[in-house]
Amino acid sequence: MLEAPVVDGATAGPGQLDVRHVPQVATAQRRHVRLLRRSPHAGEAFAVAQAVTASWWDKAWPEETLWPDQLRLMAHGNGLAWRVAARDAVTYPEAVTLAATLADAGVQQQLLDEAGRHQPHSLADVPRLVGELARRLERPWIAGRLAAITTGPLNTWVRACVRSQAGHRPKTQSMWRISPPHRPTPVSQLLADSSDRGETPVQPDPALLPDSAEGAARGFARGLRHARTYAAEHGHLCAPNTVQMEGFAVGLWLANQRAAGPELAPERAAALDALDPWWNPPWNLWWQRIYHRAQAHVRAGQPLAPDLGFPGTPEGLGEWLYDQCADYPQLHPQQQRLLTDIGITPEQARAAKPRRKNIKAVRHTALDHARAYAAQHGHLCAPTSASQGGFTVGKWLHSQRVRARRGQLDPVLNRTLTDIDPWWNPPWPTDWQREHHHAHAAVTAGALPDPEAGFRNFDDRTGQWLYAQCVNYTALQPGQQHLLARLGLTELVAGTAVPNPATRHPAMETGLHYARDWAAQHGDLDIPRTAPHLGFPLGRWLATQRHQANLHRDLFDTPWPHGEHLARIDPYWNPPWGMKWQRRYQAARTQLTPGQNLAPEEGFPGTPDWTGQWLYSQCAVYDDLHPRQQQLLADLGLTAEGARTARPRRKTQAASFAAGLAHARAWAQQHGNLAVPEPARHDGYRLGTWLRTQRRRASRGKLPADRIKALEAIDPHWNPAGGLRWQQAYLTARTHTTGRSLTTTADLDALPSATAKWLFTQCSSYGRLHPEQQQLLAETGLTSERAHVLAPPPKPSQPPCSVRPRLKNPPSSFNAGLPYARAWAAQHGNLTSACYRTEHDGFPLGRWLYKQRRAAHDHLKRTGNTWLHDPQLTALDPWWNPPWRVTWNHSWHLAHTHYTAAQPFPNNTIKWIRTQQRAWAQLHPHQQHLMIIIGIHGPTPLCRYNSRPAILTDQPTELINIHETSPRQESRSSQARPGPARKQRHTPRQHPPHRRTQPAN
């Protein structure tokens, strides 16, 4: 065949190539062998060279006369099919020469020096490389042909070489990668095509990949139609991402095509080049968009005059043009050529002057927007982010305030702004003045200040601000106090203000009020996170303040501004060792008497059980404690000398039980029962855990009788028959029903909803309760007779729903399930979309397919040969038993369905696509091909998925399925913002051949 060329005088037979009259092939083979020995990238370079020569072969340039002659000499007498498929043999000498050129480090460095820091747009931007290729290939005419190429494998390699700095940037994509659209057509496909035209019949190799390119072609044709409409209307294709044409997101579609870059299919790139040669420039798209504005200005008959400061141009355009003149030497060569087309030559760029602003006109425009803002909001204390009619009025007002405070503001402008708003530049922060305007607007609308009620007549944020002013009233400036007095808040009235505990946005003063009250009662700010105080969520508020303080400490060297106020209440409100240690310290301190001798060398005798154990644990790590922790322990009497001589606490089981019993007795005196939740503590002792242990031992018969009697003496129901949760619910219901009669359902409905629901449930299941539970319910008035009367009526029986017939023992034979598999494949086009629980016409098809995959795997593992029935299922779906998990195909089919229907991907599918992109190097080559079919071209995050896009932002969610990526965008997105170093990834695993791995669902 083609792989066996005839040499040494032999006669070429059918299907063979005769290379006796083409000595260049033998010479190229020897050069190829030497290249493989000397260059480490020779194999990769030869693959790229083959793709380049194959693209030249398809172009059929009329200047190329050597290849047709070699083809006639090699394929003389053979059919057309063999002459067409002889491409690789005919172009072999040029491929070896091109591979040697691309693998040459000197040529690569020459390319980097020539490109500089710019990404070449076409091969015309690197004329020295083009000339070197023409010289080595001995084809001077090819330089003109290559200079006009903007896409293709050679252009892709040039950009990849520049982007990766000839492979010295390991994080970028390999410069030797060949994108699927640029890979040469396999010889078998060429033979099959020629056979279809009636030539020599040749059996093609079986296709390993499903053909789903028709849907992608329809999607591109649809996008190209809308792009043609946009280009006819605007004269270019530099559309923003948010632009839509007839409901089609043409801007986002064009962004996806740019993301593919030089990896876009040549015919698609040519179609877009025909509409706009600069649809995908190597510089930022906004530059090209502003350039088109300048071009339209020139075409309207208004020439540019750089030496006069670009008169007649809009302000923004004139400033942009001057910036281009100032940076002219740093621009891309093609950018310089485009500026030359609109009249800005290098000489004129050097003589350019900045555009002169009409300060009077700018001032009038700004004042008009300021008046409009004041008419809408009632003041001029606008934040810097505010805009009015597209004008950044917030930034302009901030600039005027800065100039006024420096004494540089024009008095006329100052008077004009004062006439609009007398407090446009207050001596206090503008945030305060803005909040005052909100409060004044509320008072004007009829809201009355009610400081004694927590300003409940105002919205939450305004009410909190008013309370904060009342707390800090004496520290305010006289002008601020005067403005508050206009609202009705004098110093006397402000002294009566109280906070609103139901606020959702508490001010710092509100939290400090409740923190002081808590500390006055408990002595510290050690409060559980979920605990409220007087209706205010103080625990959650303190947790938030600790988080803010810790975050500020990690980011800045200065102390947290509000930390001083809380430290005055409790110096250890946010200790650096955490609140867990602090809570245990406070619990230990409450159990010790002042001046108590701890005697650590004797095991802390005379201290409660838990306290002695905790103190010894601190002695074990004493040297690792914070100096302030050591000082706190010294306040308890535990010094460094005592910590070194400490001994562990020894306590008998009886003493341990006695300690727990004492805590249980104290708990029962306070709460009246022993239904203690498991996480509950009593004076630092884990009483809930201790009682759970006693109940467990009692249920196993391991708790002595005297201890059981001791616990029953405290609470006869300490180990309830219905469980702890039932007992807790019963106690709650008993509290709600005390003093009430339970004779009718109306009596139960009058109780809290949770209690009423629980009691109705007990009435319904009264006969199944334990006698002890029935006795407890009878004490609340819910006897057996009343429970029968109050029990809700039983639900009416529902008619049995129709169930599809299912085979209890589904047949596992192959012939039994094959007809159902054919029917499913005919309906859905595949077999992998059927999950394990899928049924088809009552037959468990998913389970049957799983068994067939298992049988194929076992047969292959046992014999090493393909399964007997594999061809029949492969004819229905080539991927019925993929070498990866079948669930992957389920997700792929879902994405493919939305892609072919030109619908946006669901959120779950988008997350799945992100996962595949992150693990692109670990995917099977066939999985990568399947992802390319749905528009996912590589590991680079898509524009819509990129969390830090360099250019493309605010993209709609339509047509996400047509995204494509490029190495250039990957390099931009990876450099958009520095991030933490990532862990070194493992070497990608080697993928086994198709149908040689264990199937799994």
Side-chain angles (χ1 to χ4, degrees):
M1 299 297 288
L2 296 180
E3 291 78 6
V6 177
V7 293
D8 297 334
T11 303
Q16 292 182 325
L17 299 178
D18 191 349
V19 297
R20 291 177 298 173
H21 305 291
V22 187
Q24 297 91 334
V25 175
T27 304
Q29 187 176 14
R30 290 190 293 270
R31 289 191 291 111
H32 193 185
V33 172
R34 290 196 299 269
L35 178 63
L36 291 173
R37 291 175 180 174
R38 297 176 181 177
S39 176
H41 300 288
E44 299 168 321
F46 182 74
V48 175
Q50 273 193 319
V52 174
T53 54
S55 66
W56 295 350
W57 174 277
D58 296 335
K59 295 182 184 300
W61 288 322
E63 296 90 346
E64 181 58 62
T65 58
L66 184 59
W67 284 351
D69 294 341
Q70 292 179 354
L71 178 62
R72 286 191 296 269
L73 294 175
M74 288 186 184
H76 178 71
N78 286 316
L80 177 61
W82 298 103
R83 294 199 299 272
V84 171
R87 174 200 63 196
D88 293 345
V90 173
T91 60
Y92 179 71
E94 286 73 13
V96 174
T97 302
L98 186 58
T101 305
L102 299 182
D104 190 349
V107 174
Q108 297 174 5
Q109 187 59 42
Q110 177 183 345
L111 171 61
L112 297 179
D113 296 340
E114 186 175 12
R117 63 185 188 90
H118 299 295
Q119 187 69 261
H121 177 65
S122 64
L123 295 181
D125 297 335
V126 284
R128 295 170 58 187
L129 174 65
V130 174
E132 182 67 17
L133 292 177
R135 184 185 66 81
R136 294 198 181 192
L137 293 173
E138 298 180 357
R139 287 171 171 81
W141 55 268
I142 204 173
R145 292 285 185 177
L146 296 180
I149 295 178
T150 59
T151 185
L154 183 58
N155 193 282
T156 302
W157 179 87
V158 168
R159 292 192 178 188
C161 182
V162 175
R163 184 186 64 254
S164 64
Q165 291 296 301
H168 295 299
R169 290 180 180 175
K171 290 187 177 181
T172 57
Q173 210 169 55
S174 173
M175 60 186 289
W176 304 109
R177 178 180 178 272
I178 307 174
S179 59
H182 298 148
R183 293 171 185 170
T185 306
V187 174
S188 59
Q189 184 64 36
L190 293 176
L191 295 177
D193 294 343
S194 60
S195 175
D196 294 340
R197 292 193 297 267
E199 299 295 337
T200 305
V202 178
Q203 181 66 28
D205 296 335
L208 294 178
L209 300 174
D211 186 10
S212 302
E214 183 178 355
R218 289 197 302 268
F220 182 83
R222 181 187 177 192
L224 185 64
R225 182 173 66 255
H226 291 285
R228 187 177 292 108
T229 304
Y230 184 89
E233 181 178 349
H234 298 86
H236 59 84
L237 290 182
C238 299
N241 297 334
T242 56
V243 171
Q244 295 189 3
M245 300 289 292
E246 301 177 0
F248 183 85
V250 64
L252 184 59
W253 181 83
L254 286 170
N256 295 333
Q257 309 310 311
R258 294 188 193 97
E263 296 189 359
L264 191 65
E267 61 276 6
R268 298 185 180 183
L272 292 171
D273 286 339
L275 300 179
D276 181 8
W278 300 103
W279 70 276
N280 186 23
W283 45 82
N284 290 336
L285 197 63
W286 64 265
W287 191 98
Q288 193 67 21
R289 202 174 293 135
I290 299 177
Y291 170 80
H292 283 296
R293 289 177 51 195
Q295 190 180 46
H297 182 84
V298 173
R299 290 178 178 176
Q302 302 178 11
L304 303 177
D307 53 339
L308 301 178
F310 301 98
T313 59
E315 180 181 353
L317 181 59
E319 293 180 354
W320 181 82
L321 288 171
Y322 176 74
D323 292 340
Q324 306 313 306
C325 295
D327 300 334
Y328 195 88
Q330 286 76 34
L331 295 178
H332 193 283
Q334 297 295 343
Q335 289 177 298
Q336 297 177 357
R337 188 176 69 82
L338 290 175
L339 291 176
T340 302
D341 294 342
I342 60 175
I344 301 180
T345 61
E347 295 76 12
Q348 291 178 328
R350 286 192 293 268
K353 295 182 180 179
R355 188 183 187 280
R356 296 181 179 179
K357 294 184 179 180
N358 191 337
I359 300 179
K360 187 175 182 179
V362 172
R363 177 178 296 181
H364 281 299
T365 303
L367 286 174
D368 291 341
H369 287 96
R371 292 188 182 95
Y373 185 89
Q376 181 177 355
H377 298 86
H379 60 88
L380 285 183
C381 295
T384 55
S385 59
S387 61
Q388 183 71 26
F391 180 79
T392 55
V393 64
K395 292 183 178 180
W396 183 80
L397 286 171
H398 176 72
S399 301
Q400 308 315 309
R401 293 190 192 98
V402 173
R403 293 173 61 87
R405 291 165 187 171
R406 294 176 179 176
Q408 301 174 355
L409 186 64
D410 185 3
V412 177
L413 179 59
N414 192 0
R415 287 194 299 269
T416 304
L417 292 173
T418 304
D419 294 339
I420 301 175
D421 180 9
W423 297 102
W424 76 276
N425 185 26
W428 43 81
T430 55
D431 294 341
W432 191 96
Q433 191 67 26
R434 194 180 310 119
E435 292 295 338
H436 173 266
H437 279 294
H438 295 162
H440 184 269
V443 172
T444 304
L448 296 177
D450 50 350
E452 291 133 359
F455 299 98
R456 298 177 184 268
N457 295 334
F458 296 83
D459 64 86
D460 193 6
R461 295 183 183 275
T462 304
Q464 289 297 303
W465 181 82
L466 287 172
Y467 174 74
Q469 307 315 306
C470 293
V471 173
N472 302 317
Y473 194 90
T474 57
L476 298 177
Q477 298 184 24
Q480 293 174 298
Q481 296 178 355
H482 174 71
L483 291 176
L484 291 176
R486 294 172 56 184
L487 301 178
L489 293 180
T490 61
E491 184 175 2
L492 183 61
V493 174
T496 63
V498 296
N500 179 16
T503 176
R504 296 177 59 92
H505 307 282
M508 177 58 64
E509 288 75 10
T510 300
L512 290 175
H513 171 82
Y514 290 101
R516 293 189 187 96
D517 188 79
W518 174 276
Q521 298 180 20
H522 301 84
D524 53 53
L525 290 181
D526 179 17
I527 178 175
R529 181 185 181 91
T530 58
H533 180 61
L534 300 178
F536 179 76
L538 181 59
R540 187 170 65 247
W541 182 82
L542 283 173
T544 302
Q545 306 311 310
R546 293 188 184 102
H547 175 72
Q548 294 292 338
N550 296 336
L551 186 63
H552 188 277
R553 180 183 58 196
D554 296 339
L555 297 178
F556 307 101
D557 297 332
T558 58
W560 190 48
H562 304 295
E564 181 180 359
H565 304 292
L566 289 167
R568 292 174 183 172
I569 302 173
D570 181 7
Y572 297 103
W573 75 278
N574 184 30
W577 46 84
M579 289 302 300
K580 183 178 180 180
W581 190 95
Q582 192 66 21
R583 291 192 181 100
R584 294 185 176 182
Y585 169 81
Q586 296 290 351
R589 189 180 66 173
T590 57
Q591 297 182 15
L592 298 176
T593 58
Q596 180 178 353
N597 183 17
L598 299 180
E601 67 279 357
E602 300 177 7
F604 302 96
T607 60
D609 185 20
W610 174 87
T611 305
Q613 295 177 2
W614 183 80
L615 288 173
Y616 175 73
S617 65
Q618 303 311 305
C619 295
V621 295
Y622 190 87
D623 295 337
D624 299 331
L625 295 178
H626 194 278
R628 293 169 63 186
Q629 288 177 291
Q630 297 176 356
Q631 180 61 38
L632 290 175
L633 292 175
D635 295 342
L636 298 179
L638 183 60
T639 60
E641 294 76 9
R644 286 193 292 269
T645 60
R647 294 292 182 268
R649 183 180 180 84
R650 303 295 182 182
K651 194 169 186 180
T652 62
Q653 188 177 10
S656 178
F657 180 82
L661 191 65
H663 286 284
R665 188 176 290 109
W667 178 279
Q669 291 177 357
Q670 182 178 359
H671 298 86
N673 58 77
L674 285 183
V676 184
E678 183 176 342
R681 293 172 177 263
H682 181 259
D683 292 339
Y685 184 82
R686 294 181 292 183
L687 180 60
T689 305
W690 182 81
L691 282 173
R692 183 198 62 180
T693 304
Q694 306 310 313
R695 295 189 188 101
R696 185 179 302 172
R697 297 188 64 191
S699 62
R700 296 175 181 177
K702 296 182 178 181
L703 189 64
D706 57 336
R707 298 184 181 181
I708 295 178
K709 292 180 179 179
L711 289 169
E712 288 179 348
I714 301 175
D715 183 4
H717 304 288
W718 73 276
N719 188 18
L724 182 62
R725 293 184 61 185
W726 190 94
Q727 189 71 12
Q728 292 172 345
Y730 163 76
L731 294 173
T732 303
R734 189 180 67 178
T735 302
H736 292 161
T737 58
T738 301
R740 297 188 179 186
S741 61
L742 302 177
T743 57
T744 63
T745 57
D747 296 335
L748 296 183
D749 292 336
L751 298 174
S753 59
T755 302
K757 183 178 179 181
W758 184 82
L759 287 174
F760 276 122
T761 304
Q762 306 312 307
C763 294
S764 301
S765 59
Y766 195 89
R768 298 189 298 271
L769 295 178
H770 192 275
E772 181 182 340
Q773 294 174 290
Q774 295 177 356
Q775 179 183 357
L776 291 174
L777 291 175
E779 294 177 359
T780 63
L782 193 63
T783 61
S784 177
E785 295 77 9
R786 290 187 181 180
H788 180 72
V789 174
L790 298 177
K795 295 182 179 179
S797 59
Q798 299 292 337
C801 58
S802 59
V803 181
R804 292 184 301 172
R806 178 187 176 99
L807 299 177
K808 295 184 179 179
N809 298 315
S812 58
S813 62
F814 181 80
N815 294 330
L818 187 60
Y820 296 97
R822 290 197 180 100
W824 180 274
Q827 181 178 355
H828 299 85
N830 59 80
L831 290 179
T832 51
S833 60
C835 62
Y836 184 79
R837 300 181 181 273
T838 298
E839 294 185 4
H840 186 66
D841 294 338
F843 181 81
L845 179 62
R847 184 177 176 185
W848 180 84
L849 284 172
Y850 173 77
K851 290 189 175 182
Q852 308 316 308
R853 296 187 186 102
R854 174 64 64 180
H857 167 71
D858 294 342
H859 181 82
L860 180 64
K861 184 177 180 180
R862 184 176 61 256
T863 64
N865 300 322
T866 306
W867 189 41
L868 176 64
H869 302 294
D870 184 81
Q872 300 181 51
L873 292 174
T874 303
L876 301 178
D877 182 3
W879 299 105
W880 78 276
N881 186 21
W884 49 81
R885 294 182 67 89
V886 179
T887 52
W888 190 93
N889 284 56
H890 300 340
S891 302
W892 183 87
H893 280 296
L894 179 62
H896 183 262
T897 301
H898 289 82
Y899 177 81
T900 54
Q903 297 177 354
F905 288 144
N907 291 336
N908 290 338
T909 304
I910 292 176
K911 294 179 181 178
W912 178 79
I913 291 176
R914 289 175 176 171
T915 303
Q916 308 312 309
Q917 289 178 312
R918 287 193 294 266
W920 185 268
Q922 283 76 36
L923 293 182
H924 195 283
H926 295 337
Q927 288 178 297
Q928 296 178 359
H929 177 83
L930 292 174
M931 297 300 297
I932 291 173
I933 289 176
I934 61 174
I936 311 301
H937 288 263
T940 305
L942 304 185
C943 302
R944 175 65 175 85
Y945 309 144
N946 194 349
S947 59
R948 300 190 301 271
I951 305 174
L952 307 176
T953 57
D954 301 332
Q955 301 167 22
T957 56
E958 294 81 12
L959 298 180
I960 297 302
N961 52 345
I962 315 181
H963 267 298
E964 298 178 357
T965 55
S966 69
R968 175 168 58 87
Q969 185 182 3
E970 178 187 10
S971 63
R972 288 180 178 177
S973 63
S974 63
Q975 300 171 5
R977 184 175 61 188
R982 296 183 177 181
K983 295 182 179 180
Q984 185 68 24
R985 290 187 177 181
H986 298 288
T987 304
R989 63 176 183 268
Q990 298 296 328
H991 297 285
H994 185 42
R995 286 189 228 293
R996 290 193 179 273
T997 57
Q998 179 177 355
N1001 278 347

